[in-house]
Structure formats: C-alpha cells, structure tokens
Amino acid sequence: GEDVEQSLFLSVREGDSSVINCTYTDSSSTYLYWYKQEPGAGLQLLTYIFSNMDMKQDQRLTVLLNKKDKHLSLRIADTQTGDSAIYFCAENGGSGNTGKLIFGQGTTLQVKP
Amino acid sequence: GAVVSQHPSRVICKSGTSVKIECRSLDFQATTMFWYRQFPKQSLMLMATSNEGSKATYEQGVEKDKFLINHASLTLSTLTVTSAHPEDSSFYICSAVRASGGTGELFFGEGSRLTVL
C-alpha cells in the first residue's frame, strides 16, 4: 500500500541549513507536498513539486525530488527559530486533483539559538 | 490566498453528547473537502472525503454513524461526532480543494481540538 516515511526529529543551530528527508512508495504520485504545523495549529502549505520536476526553489526553501529512488527532501537555508515546527511530507498517490493525501509521520525541527 | 476556516477551534464536551465542527472555504468553492484526525505527536489520518451534494466516502475503520459528515453547500462541510467518548478526543482538521482548476493543492483549516470528559 501507499506509505510515506520521514525521520522523526532534527535539531539544528540558528543560521545553519536544515534538510528534512522523506521517502514514499507510490510511484504514481503526481504531486508531492511539504506542510508545516506549528503547535496547536493547522497545516500550512510550504511548497509542492510536480512529479516531473527534479528541483524547486522558493526563497529559503529548496525541494529536491529523486523520482527513481522515491526520495523527497526539503532544505531550509539560514534556519531561524521561527522555523521550529513539525514538517509533514505528503503525496497524492496519483489521485490527481482530488486532494486525497497520504502524510508522513512528521519531522519535528528544533532550531537552537 | 485561499482560506479555510474551522469552527470551533476548541471544544470541551461531556461524554455522550454530540459535537458539530464546521469547515468553511471562505474565498473559493470546494466540491470536495476532507476530514483528517490527528492524534498527539502523530500524523494526520484521513477519515473521510466529503462531496458536495452526495454522501461522504469513509476510510476503512472509520464509523460513519459515529462521524456524520454533511456537505450541504460548496463552501461548507460539517463533521458531527455523535455520542462522543473520551477516546474521540483528538485534533480534527479539514481541508478543501478548489472546485475548478488548481494544482491539487489542499487548503487546510486551523483545526478543531475536541476534548471529551
């Protein structure tokens, strides 16, 4: 079945780069997403990448997709304390625009001053 | 940007009562909305897909009589937790997809935290 795996925890120092990794199993995924969740809040879409792309950059965020290995990563440059949150990787399992997503377990990013 | 609003954001109720949570798309029409449940320090689990004007589609293991979903209009879906029990305490999050066009992007509500005493 569909599965999305992430490491559970990452700790970095303020100003360093953070790299959060994700693997997925469904090769029919057309979109892959990164969401951010702050404590007690809903999910905020950070960025997404279409499956025929290898890389997408948006300000401090860089998404890399290795479709062959089904590996997705999110790099946050110049990480700030405000970036501390849980980051979820998600894929749509080839469901197109229906929006039915499969989420990873979430990676807790801790940014130390 | 597109906004999805949930209400209430927090609710505490007694065991045995029913609780209704609303999910509204504020600036777009959504033919499809999704209801997720999130346990503490865990990922989101899709409960059901809510389709405007038709019955919701429930994921395996989700009791449809326990979690009633109504999608009466293109901007509103409601989740009613019937005869709530402490094990129903959780963070419920809805999301919505634009009715037309779009990239498959989901817009999420802020979540509703239910505590059943």
Side-chain angles (χ1 to χ4, degrees), chain A residues 31 33 37 42 45 98-99 104, chain B residues 34 38 43 103-106 108 110:
Chain A
Y31 292 98
Y33 304 85
Q37 185 180 36
L45 177 65
T98 61
Chain B
F34 300 86
Q38 186 180 31
S43 186
T103 61
E105 179 182 349
L106 279 182
F108 281 85
E110 316 94 319

Side-chain angles (χ1 to χ4, degrees), chain B residues 61-96:
Chain B
V62 178
E63 298 176 61
K64 59 181 67 176
D65 295 330
K66 175 75 169 175
F67 299 100
L68 299 179
I69 291 172
N70 183 277
H71 194 153
S73 76
L74 285 172
T75 59
L76 174 64
S77 175
T78 60
L79 168 68
T80 302
V81 183
T82 62
S83 186
H85 290 283
E87 58 265 29
D88 299 323
S89 298
S90 193
F91 195 54
Y92 293 89
I93 304 177
C94 74
S95 65

Side-chain angles (χ1 to χ4, degrees), chain A residues 21-39:
Chain A
N21 294 301
C22 171
T23 57
Y24 60 98
T25 57
D26 192 338
S27 58
S28 64
S29 297
T30 51
Y31 292 98
L32 296 116
Y33 304 85
W34 283 104
Y35 285 88
K36 177 182 180 182
Q37 185 180 36
E38 296 184 2

Side-chain angles (χ1 to χ4, degrees), chain A residues 91-105:
Chain A
E91 52 96 358
N92 70 338
S95 61
N97 284 346
T98 61
K100 182 177 176 179
L101 299 187
I102 308 299
F103 286 86
Q105 316 93 308

Side-chain angles (χ1 to χ4, degrees), chain B residues 2-13:
Chain B
V3 178
V4 174
S5 178
Q6 280 185 242
H7 179 80
S9 57
R10 288 182 182 273
V11 57
I12 300 173
C13 70

Side-chain angles (χ1 to χ4, degrees), chain A residues 14-109:
Chain A
E14 192 173 20
D16 289 350
S17 292
S18 307
V19 179
I20 302 172
N21 294 301
C22 171
T23 57
Y24 60 98
T25 57
D26 192 338
S27 58
S28 64
S29 297
T30 51
Y31 292 98
L32 296 116
Y33 304 85
W34 283 104
Y35 285 88
K36 177 182 180 182
Q37 185 180 36
E38 296 184 2
L43 271 68
Q44 172 196 357
L45 177 65
L46 286 179
T47 186
Y48 65 91
I49 189 168
F50 189 50
S51 60
N52 69 352
M53 297 169 65
D54 299 323
M55 185 185 86
K56 181 178 180 180
Q57 186 156 3
D58 183 3
Q59 299 181 343
R60 292 191 297 123
L61 305 178
T62 303
V63 179
L64 294 178
L65 175 61
N66 182 328
K67 197 173 180 182
K68 174 176 171 290
D69 295 337
K70 300 190 188 71
H71 183 267
L72 184 73
S73 68
L74 173 70
R75 179 177 181 268
I76 305 173
D78 187 25
T79 313
Q80 303 297 308
T81 54
D83 295 324
S84 293
I86 302 175
Y87 291 81
F88 289 95
C89 161
E91 52 96 358
N92 70 338
S95 61
N97 284 346
T98 61
K100 182 177 176 179
L101 299 187
I102 308 299
F103 286 86
Q105 316 93 308
T107 300
T108 298
L109 175 63

